[in-house]
Amino acid sequence: MKRLTKHLPQRLWRRLRDHRDDRGVSMLEFAGFLPILLVIGMAAIQLGLIGYGINQAGSAARAAARAASQGDNGAAAGQAAVSGWLNPNVSAAEGADLTTATVTLQVPAVIPLLPSVTVERHATMPTDD
């Protein structure tokens, strides 16, 4: 009986020590990796916004060039083709044969340390006579 009680606390101690070492490790790993996941997610959102801005600027440039080539207000058509929160700068120059429209807009930054991105698109259409 003496021999059993002598080894029992040591066995229990080893068992508790081995069990206690792994407790909470996965939570610490997740907490350490969470900032990296957040930055990757925000970078993906930023790239999506830049793509959206490029798409909107191209559509606005085509709409402005089309309207200006037909004698309408190209700047107003370009402004109407873009989401208002992008605040585009639209200019259309009508020539004798070709009408060119330029749209410039700022895509806001999602990550605070990065600057906003400027997107510029041009479109050229033949001028209607």
Side-chain angles (χ1 to χ4, degrees):
M1 188 78 173
K2 246 181 176 184
R3 186 174 176 161
L4 183 62
T5 58
K6 179 180 170 190
H7 295 289
L8 185 63
Q10 191 175 21
R11 267 194 241 153
L12 283 176
W13 172 249
R14 279 188 200 144
R15 196 173 198 195
L16 288 174
R17 184 189 66 196
D18 292 342
H19 181 67
R20 198 181 284 173
D21 285 345
D22 292 339
R23 198 177 306 168
V25 172
S26 61
M27 186 64 171
L28 287 175
E29 289 173 355
F30 179 72
F33 198 64
L34 185 62
I36 295 168
L37 288 175
L38 289 175
V39 169
I40 290 171
M42 290 171 67
I45 291 170
Q46 182 68 49
L47 286 175
L49 281 176
I50 291 170
Y52 180 73
I54 290 170
N55 185 16
Q56 290 284 294
S59 296
R62 285 190 301 276
R66 186 180 309 111
S69 71
Q70 295 172 352
D72 295 334
N73 187 354
Q79 290 279 347
V82 178
S83 297
W85 61 273
L86 287 172
N87 195 15
N89 181 13
V90 181
S91 63
E94 188 175 339
D97 294 332
L98 296 174
T99 301
T100 302
T102 302
V103 176
T104 306
L105 53 86
Q106 295 282 333
V107 177
V110 175
I111 301 173
L113 300 175
L114 297 178
S116 60
V117 178
T118 302
V119 175
E120 182 174 302
R121 289 290 177 254
H122 307 279
T124 303
M125 299 259 177
T127 304
D128 287 347
D129 291 333

